[in-house]
Amino acid sequence: IRLIPDLGLTSRSFVFEVIERTLHPGNIIRLGRYSEKTPASEKVSFKSKVVSRCHAELWVEDGKVFIRDAGSSSGTFLNRIRLSSPSTSTAGAHEMKDGDIIQLGVDYKGGTESMYRAVKMRLEVNREWQSRANQFSRTAFQHLQQRLIAPGTATTMLECCICMYAIAPFQALFITPCSHVYHYRCIRPILNQNPPGFSCPLCRTYSDLDANV
């Protein structure tokens, strides 16, 4: 399974690193608030004050993924429905499916920092094919390659103009208005220097990244 941040249309989303786990019968994944006293290997932790130390539990049974609230103070929500009432210390099991939205806690309205935001995540089950180059990504990359390499040149491989490593399927790319290609990770520091102004590090062409398309 993968737990990925469920980002809304605002900047108030709680962002965390993608969590990948292999569930085996009998194993329980515990979700809760981060604590330096608790080893990271024992549970999945989030640095949010609206998340209880022991907030919810995930496990697999008969090939199905289940979740239950572990007596949290601010509640566990599955597809916006609270799994237990505030007065209940335990909750029953609820089956989850690929694409379901899990929310731990509720936003604290008085806090503007991420530590006061609810943790919203989307569950992905058995999507290993998406993490590998597949036929769709290979075809899309071939189309990109054909359009960016000048006809008649001997170049057969696209390279990032910053790190000089090859550009391949399933990589986050940034294509400049002057048609140079970079890994997004390589170009990101430059993009953040003087937004929306951008000067291509290869040809020095200046562009307004907020210009109408």
Side-chain angles (χ1 to χ4, degrees):
I1 68 169
R2 296 175 79 229
L3 298 174
I4 65 175
D6 182 49
L7 305 181
L9 300 178
T10 68
S11 59
R12 290 182 54 84
S13 299
F14 186 95
V15 179
F16 56 89
E17 293 185 2
V18 175
I19 300 165
E20 295 186 356
R21 294 288 189 276
T22 299
L23 287 178
H24 300 284
N27 292 346
I28 296 178
I29 296 179
R30 293 176 173 83
L31 310 178
R33 186 171 72 246
Y34 174 81
S35 172
E36 295 182 354
K37 298 180 181 180
T38 305
S41 59
E42 292 186 7
K43 69 177 183 180
V44 176
S45 304
F46 303 95
K47 294 183 178 180
S48 172
K49 291 188 176 182
V50 303
V51 175
S52 300
R53 291 185 179 181
C54 297
H55 201 105
E57 297 177 340
L58 297 175
W59 73 95
V60 64
E61 186 176 329
D62 297 328
K64 300 177 181 178
V65 182
F66 292 89
I67 186 173
R68 66 175 166 228
D69 186 272
S72 65
S73 57
S74 53
T76 302
F77 301 80
L78 179 60
N79 298 324
R80 299 185 178 182
I81 299 177
R82 185 163 181 162
L83 302 184
S84 62
S85 62
S87 60
T88 304
S89 58
T90 59
H94 296 262
E95 182 183 350
M96 292 191 299
K97 298 181 181 179
D98 179 66
D100 280 353
I101 304 299
I102 306 168
Q103 177 178 328
L104 306 180
V106 294
D107 288 344
Y108 176 63
K109 296 181 180 180
T112 58
E113 301 179 15
S114 60
M115 66 176 62
Y116 295 103
R117 297 173 188 166
V119 179
K120 299 178 183 179
M121 64 194 89
R122 187 169 74 247
L123 173 71
E124 294 183 353
V125 181
N126 296 328
R127 292 196 189 186
E128 293 89 348
W129 64 272
Q130 286 189 338
S131 60
R132 300 188 299 266
N134 50 61
Q135 184 59 44
F136 174 82
S137 62
R138 285 193 293 266
T139 301
F141 177 74
Q142 290 172 358
H143 290 168
L144 174 68
Q145 193 174 38
Q146 292 171 2
R147 284 159 174 75
L148 294 179
I149 295 180
T153 61
T155 304
T156 58
M157 181 182 297
L158 288 175
E159 293 181 346
C160 173
C161 299
I162 294 179
C163 69
M164 303 306 295
Y165 281 104
I167 287 174
F170 207 72
Q171 294 177 342
L173 306 179
F174 180 82
I175 304 176
T176 68
C178 49
S179 296
H180 290 119
V181 185
Y182 303 92
H183 293 123
Y184 177 73
R185 183 173 183 176
C186 296
I187 196 70
R188 183 174 58 183
I190 300 176
L191 295 176
N192 293 335
Q193 285 179 355
N194 302 289
F198 170 75
S199 179
C200 177
L202 189 65
C203 68
R204 297 302 178 184
T205 298
Y206 177 84
S207 304
D208 178 4
L209 299 183
D210 279 347
N212 290 335
V213 296

